Amino acid sequence: MKSKNLAAFGPFIVMLAAILWGSVGVFTKYLYANGFTPYQASMLRCLVATVIIVPIMIAKSRNQLKLRSWKDLLFFVISGTFGLALCYTAYFITIQQSTLSIAAVMLYSSPIMVTIMAAFLFKEKITVKKAVSIFLAFAGCIIMSGILGGSGVSLTAVGVLIGFLSGFGYALYNIGSRMALKYYSTYAVTTYTFIFATIGMIPFTPIKETASLLAANPFSIAVALGLGILSTLIPYTLYVLALNYVEVSKASVIAIIEPVAATIIGLFAFSEALTLNTVVAMIIILLSVLVSNMKSKEEKLAAAEAAKAAEAGDEPENSQKELTWMTEHPISEKVAARMEAKEDAEIAFGGNDNRE
């Protein structure tokens, strides 16, 4: 399947990524039971993903890792250090300062932030459909968290502020990744994001204690690998791939099916009970995803016109053409082609050809 044909499957790729994210509990439950803290488990997610993807990229696609400019590292500082690392760190501090329910609600406020940021940075329109889908998704998360019941809920100013930072970190991950995709391939963006996320988390992680826990129980190494590959590297790669074809604001809403997936997996894997609140919340969240994927008349007409243009052999719209092109070619090849064209032009106008 060619990259241009993935556009229609963008939302489903986000859903698949969210389902895999939802499987994280299968691995973390074991790690927590064997002495690992949630923060250590999160650091292992980033570290394992980095250790796996970097050698593969160096061996198979080294050219994709070549930077257009050192300034472009800022994209990955945003998506990795200020994105994932901040998200994970703030999330667990929020749990300590407040409750798991508050932390979850604050984390899933991120689509609101993503939508506002995307409107300014990428000119993505804030439509009624988006507003409704975000409202439904956030409402579903609030109901699922149990915060409306008021039992065991502890609100503190510090907890709310840091909780906001967790959602902001996830929003920055989305924004930084989308910005980097303008110049780099899906795999390069994923690789650099995990490198900078790991750099951001290691200084705050008890390395010796983590290593001792891994050494004391070798099976935990296998669990950490599963956590880093199945619940982290693969879904984050899929999500970044989908950002080539799906608006970042829309993708952030679709990804909220993660808690739904986690609940279903928990039901089958750990026989966890379903409450009425959880069922209602799942229905509302799924409804938000359905609303976000409904096409307006304008979108249907645009899709029909694009299909006709494709059949006629016309060039696609610039934005779609750029996104398709970027997923098929690494930036290094793009830059190299421009440089070669520039050199040829200089030679044509009287320059000296010093190349071998």
Side-chain angles (χ1 to χ4, degrees):
M1 181 180 293
K2 294 182 180 180
S3 296
K4 63 182 180 181
N5 294 329
L6 285 177
F9 295 95
F12 298 101
I13 296 174
V14 176
M15 291 181 193
L16 178 56
I19 291 170
L20 290 174
W21 279 329
S23 70
V24 68
V26 175
F27 305 100
T28 56
K29 277 184 178 290
Y30 179 87
L31 293 177
Y32 298 162
N34 285 272
F36 291 85
T37 66
Y39 190 82
Q40 286 174 308
S42 293
M43 188 279 293
L44 286 174
R45 293 181 71 178
C46 296
L47 181 61
V48 169
T50 300
V51 169
I52 295 296
I53 196 171
V54 169
I56 293 175
M57 288 296 292
I58 291 175
K60 299 292 185 180
S61 306
R62 185 179 301 178
N63 284 339
Q64 293 189 32
L65 295 178
K66 290 182 179 178
L67 294 172
R68 183 186 61 138
S69 167
W70 287 105
K71 294 179 181 179
D72 287 352
L73 288 177
L74 179 61
F75 297 141
F76 309 116
V77 171
I78 293 174
S79 65
T81 307
F82 295 142
L84 288 187
L86 175 61
C87 174
Y88 289 155
T89 303
Y91 180 74
F92 293 119
I93 293 177
T94 304
I95 294 174
Q96 294 172 349
Q97 293 287 330
S98 187
T99 65
L100 178 60
S101 299
I102 296 296
V105 169
M106 297 304 292
L107 174 62
Y108 288 110
S109 67
S110 58
I112 301 173
M113 305 179 207
V114 172
T115 300
I116 295 173
M117 289 177 166
F120 285 99
L121 296 173
F122 309 128
K123 307 302 180 184
E124 293 183 7
K125 295 181 180 179
I126 301 179
T127 62
V128 173
K129 181 179 68 175
K130 281 185 184 179
V132 171
S133 63
I134 290 172
F135 172 79
L136 289 173
F138 192 47
C141 289
I142 291 176
I143 295 172
M144 182 172 283
S145 71
I147 193 175
L148 293 180
S151 58
V153 176
S154 175
L155 285 171
T156 66
V158 175
V160 171
L161 176 60
I162 298 177
F164 172 83
L165 289 177
S166 69
F168 185 63
Y170 184 71
L172 288 179
Y173 160 71
N174 279 267
I175 296 300
S177 297
R178 182 62 186 83
M179 292 170 68
L181 281 172
K182 186 177 181 180
Y183 306 106
Y184 297 94
S185 72
T186 295
Y187 304 106
V189 172
T190 302
T191 301
Y192 278 117
T193 294
F194 278 121
I195 289 174
F196 280 91
T198 303
I199 291 173
M201 296 192 74
I202 283 182
F204 304 98
T205 306
I207 301 299
K208 291 184 178 180
E209 180 183 336
T210 305
S212 297
L213 288 170
L214 290 171
N217 185 0
F219 185 67
S220 63
I221 298 176
V223 174
L225 287 172
L227 175 65
I229 297 172
L230 294 177
S231 297
T232 306
L233 180 58
I234 294 176
Y236 276 105
T237 302
L238 288 173
Y239 188 78
V240 173
L241 174 63
L243 289 182
N244 283 294
Y245 309 100
V246 181
E247 286 185 334
V248 65
S249 53
K250 181 178 178 179
S252 66
V253 173
I254 298 174
I256 285 188
I257 68 167
E258 177 189 349
V260 175
T263 299
I264 295 174
I265 291 172
L267 175 66
F268 287 98
F270 306 111
S271 299
E272 295 178 351
L274 276 178
T275 65
L276 178 61
N277 273 8
T278 302
V279 174
V280 171
M282 288 169 62
I283 293 173
I284 293 175
I285 291 172
L286 291 175
L287 181 60
S288 75
V289 174
L290 180 63
V291 170
S292 70
N293 283 284
M294 291 174 60
K295 290 186 177 180
S296 63
K297 291 182 179 180
E298 292 77 8
E299 290 173 327
K300 289 180 180 179
L301 288 173
E305 291 177 0
K308 289 180 181 179
E311 290 178 2
D314 294 336
E315 290 293 327
E317 294 293 329
N318 291 337
S319 58
Q320 184 61 44
K321 179 181 179 181
E322 180 182 19
L323 294 177
T324 301
W325 194 96
M326 286 188 294
T327 58
E328 295 175 346
H329 301 279
I331 185 63
S332 56
E333 295 177 5
K334 187 177 179 181
V335 173
R338 288 179 177 175
M339 292 177 63
E340 185 174 353
K342 182 178 180 181
E343 290 177 0
D344 290 341
E346 291 175 350
I347 294 169
F349 284 96
N352 294 322
D353 189 355
N354 295 322
R355 291 174 295 177
E356 296 180 358

